[in-house]
Amino acid sequence: MAQHTLWESRRAFVLASIGSAIGLGNVWRFPYICYKFGGGAFLFAYVIALVLIGIPLLALEFAIGYKLKGSAPYSLGKLRYNLVGYEENEERMQRKGKFEWIGWFALLVSFGIVTYYAVIMGWATNYLVYSFKLSWGSDPRSFFYQHVLELSDGIFNFGRIQWPIVLGLAVSWIWIVLSIWKGAKTVGKVVYVTVVLPWLLLLVFVIRGLTLPGAMEGVKYYLTPRFEFLLNPALWHAAISQVFFSLSVGFGIMIAYASFLPPGSDVLNNAFLVAFSDAATAYVGGFAVFSALGYYARILGTTVDKVMKSGPELAFVTYPTIINHLPLAPLFGVLFFLMLLTLAVDSAFSMVEGSAAALIDKFHFPRKKANIGIAVVAFVIGILYTTGAGLYWLDLVDHFMNNFGLFVVALLESLVIAYVYGAENLRNYANSVSELKVGRWWSLSITALVPAASFVLLIYSFRQVLLKPYGGYPRVAEILGGWLLVIGFLVIAFVLSRRKSKEA
Ligand code: PFF
């Protein structure tokens, strides 16, 4: 395996993992989903999913990355049959699993995500510039859909490429590549800014939000549980997929990040620290968003439950409208989009770094070539999302990556550890290198809960799209932007895993 640069300190690793976890998912996706599923009830489901499913999986990824010292395909490819109680079965214990492809698949899913994640950064880059003059004017909704996106009336009606977004996308990619230029060494420095700065800015928005008239109405909506929502399976589905997305688990990234840890590091403490920081950010982010929504409802003369229509609107329609009404509006605009960008960049580069590490491990690609190669391919694919139909494709790909790709990875990872390597073996290993220990509940989660939940959710998602095409898009689009992509990734993952590794 190629030698990767290691983290220079534990702090660098923890910050980088937190940076990957905290992103648009926390201040944009989380509040929106929370809003959709009745505020407090969603919070409740989220915490349960986090503790019972998210944290065990994060600990699993950290443990295998740290133990096997390589990117996701490399580490999963090295897993041997090691089941407790099979020690006498010599032959079986010598056999290596054939699981490298799971790692490649995970990375391809994260690659699929970063192609559009960077486009959202491209929008935010444009909005950062628009903020100086509040260019969205008095009607941010029309500005976003008609001017910025030039959204067409159908998914196959591509309209025009929006060049300002392409420019924003290019800027974002250059920023991403520079941040991981020398691997962990550069990342370890960059994250001091890209984790701390957005947190400070988030606090500014929490304080600003809570001091606005009507804020308490929003906060009430956020925190009041409407428990009848808990009976809706869609809420549990949303909570679990949000936990995966937010913690960046199931993407192979945390495996790579843990593999850059120097010997003598801790695994479990770090997993808990990262998970709680991520959840705390989402929770605190909720106050910034919901207090502002309370204010927004007051401006519109309506109630909080009626103010938002769709996901992307929160950052690019709702917030600009709110900003319009604030004193020092341009300043708050700049700070808001700076916060979004600094939140997003370390998530985006973690997705590149995870894949680059794999290409370096297996094919001994020079690091810079791997980084630039991934960036260029993702940039070119990203141009699709800058067209008039871009938002539709983004929505479709996002749905398939998060509902099929991700659950498949979580299912396979947990099954392999539970029934090939042995959950208890990994638990003992993780405990042996960590200050904090996990009990048998962890193994129980990995052998039963994670696979069962992932399986049920896969079936659930499958049923949903069979009953009705996702988002009402034509079936052909769903096949192209959804099924073909997922199946194509599976095929590519197999092919990559069969290729001979280049000797150093
Ligand atoms: N965790 C990031 C967020 O919440 O925005 C998104 C993300 C990062 C997803 C890295 C996947 C990933 F591999």
Side-chain angles (χ1 to χ4, degrees):
M1 187 193 65
Q3 204 53 48
H4 293 287
T5 52
L6 300 180
W7 301 114
E8 281 169 355
S9 63
R10 172 180 174 209
R11 198 177 310 148
F13 163 69
V14 171
L15 278 179
S17 306
I18 293 180
S20 170
I22 299 177
L24 298 174
N26 300 63
V27 293
W28 178 52
R29 208 166 180 269
F30 173 83
Y32 170 67
I33 301 177
C34 193
Y35 176 83
K36 190 165 146 195
F37 288 105
F42 181 82
L43 266 184
F44 178 78
Y46 185 80
V47 171
I48 293 189
L50 176 75
V51 173
L52 296 183
I53 292 180
I55 293 179
L57 209 50
L58 181 63
L60 177 152
E61 293 204 348
F62 274 178
I64 47 183
Y66 182 59
K67 180 168 166 51
L68 297 164
K69 297 263 161 292
S71 57
Y74 180 87
S75 293
L76 286 163
K78 261 187 27 187
L79 276 183
R80 283 181 186 282
Y81 283 83
N82 203 7
L83 280 172
V84 182
Y86 279 83
E87 288 80 358
E88 65 288 353
N89 189 340
E90 266 301 307
E91 190 233 342
R92 183 163 191 187
M93 302 294 282
Q94 295 306 321
R95 233 190 304 152
K96 223 158 81 173
K98 291 201 167 66
F99 308 117
E100 187 186 322
W101 66 275
I102 302 175
W104 287 112
F105 182 66
L107 293 178
L108 285 162
V109 171
S110 79
F111 175 77
I113 292 181
V114 81
T115 58
Y116 66 79
Y117 205 85
V119 175
I120 303 175
M121 288 179 67
W123 300 345
T125 315
N126 277 276
Y127 269 76
L128 182 71
V129 178
Y130 295 146
S131 294
F132 285 94
K133 288 194 179 153
L134 302 179
S135 316
W136 48 74
S138 57
D139 184 4
R141 181 183 305 267
S142 312
F143 182 78
F144 180 59
Y145 290 116
Q146 285 159 28
H147 178 79
V148 179
L149 303 183
E150 275 194 24
L151 188 64
S152 70
D153 56 7
I155 195 162
F156 287 114
N157 182 359
F158 289 97
R160 289 189 308 162
I161 290 177
Q162 298 302 306
W163 292 106
I165 306 181
V166 177
L167 188 65
L169 181 64
V171 171
S172 305
W173 272 113
I174 292 171
W175 189 16
I176 292 168
V177 170
L178 290 180
S179 306
I180 50 173
W181 196 241
K182 289 191 181 155
K185 205 167 151 198
T186 322
V187 171
K189 297 198 176 71
V190 171
V191 286
Y192 279 92
V193 179
T194 57
V195 175
V196 178
L197 181 64
W199 242 100
L200 294 177
L201 292 173
L202 188 60
L203 289 182
V204 170
F205 280 94
V206 171
I207 297 170
R208 179 65 276 207
L210 289 175
T211 48
L212 289 169
M216 281 312 133
E217 288 309 307
V219 173
K220 223 194 272 160
Y221 185 91
Y222 180 35
L223 298 181
T224 311
R226 273 161 290 258
F227 281 114
E228 67 276 13
F229 276 85
L230 290 177
L231 298 175
N232 181 359
L235 173 139
W236 290 95
H237 174 257
I240 297 174
S241 70
Q242 173 61 16
V243 163
F244 285 167
F245 183 83
S246 192
L247 286 182
S248 311
V249 291
F251 298 97
I253 289 163
M254 293 308 195
I255 299 182
Y257 267 16
S259 77
F260 309 149
L261 276 168
S265 305
D266 179 291
V267 169
L268 295 174
N269 251 351
N270 289 339
F272 279 92
L273 192 60
V274 171
F276 284 122
S277 312
D278 182 55
T281 309
Y283 183 66
V284 173
F287 282 92
V289 170
F290 281 91
S291 59
L293 287 181
Y295 176 59
Y296 187 49
R298 183 164 291 198
I299 300 170
L300 300 181
T302 174
T303 49
V304 178
D305 58 329
K306 298 211 174 61
V307 290
M308 227 170 15
K309 293 203 180 71
S310 78
E313 288 208 10
L314 179 59
F316 300 99
V317 174
T318 314
Y319 246 92
T321 314
I322 295 167
I323 287 167
N324 275 348
H325 290 80
L326 299 179
L328 301 175
L331 175 69
F332 279 106
V334 170
L335 293 182
F336 180 74
F337 289 104
L338 191 62
M339 175 179 81
L340 278 193
L341 284 168
T342 47
L343 274 172
V345 69
D346 36 20
S347 299
F349 68 59
S350 73
M351 300 190 227
V352 181
E353 182 64 23
S355 306
L359 294 176
I360 295 167
D361 279 350
K362 176 131 185 175
F363 303 111
H364 298 287
F365 273 32
R367 172 174 302 282
K368 287 170 193 157
K369 208 164 124 188
N371 291 344
I372 294 174
I374 294 170
V376 169
V377 177
F379 170 74
V380 172
I381 296 173
I383 293 178
L384 169 73
Y385 307 116
T386 70
T387 63
L391 185 62
Y392 303 130
W393 289 99
L394 191 157
D395 183 34
L396 194 60
V397 174
D398 176 65
H399 184 79
F400 272 77
M401 292 295 103
N402 284 300
N403 287 281
F404 294 98
L406 198 47
F407 292 143
V408 168
V409 178
L411 176 67
L412 295 174
E413 262 183 12
S414 56
L415 286 180
V416 165
I417 291 302
Y419 301 105
V420 174
Y421 188 78
E424 279 295 278
N425 289 327
L426 193 65
R427 179 170 80 92
N428 290 337
Y429 168 75
N431 280 344
S432 74
V433 295
S434 310
E435 214 176 290
L436 197 137
K437 319 280 180 211
V438 286
R440 289 186 88 91
W441 67 271
W442 181 85
S443 302
L444 200 66
S445 167
I446 295 300
T447 41
L449 209 56
V450 177
S454 311
F455 185 70
V456 170
L457 293 175
L458 264 177
I459 301 292
Y460 175 82
S461 307
F462 202 63
R463 193 170 161 264
Q464 295 291 87
V465 287
L466 282 189
L467 288 178
K468 196 161 85 209
Y470 171 70
Y473 300 118
R475 283 283 184 208
V476 194
E478 198 183 67
I479 290 172
L480 289 174
W483 296 119
L484 263 184
L485 210 59
V486 175
I487 295 166
F489 281 176
L490 276 172
V491 173
I492 299 173
F494 272 117
V495 172
L496 284 170
S497 71
R498 304 294 298 228
R499 291 284 295 270
K500 280 233 163 337
S501 158
K502 222 167 123 187
E503 291 311 319

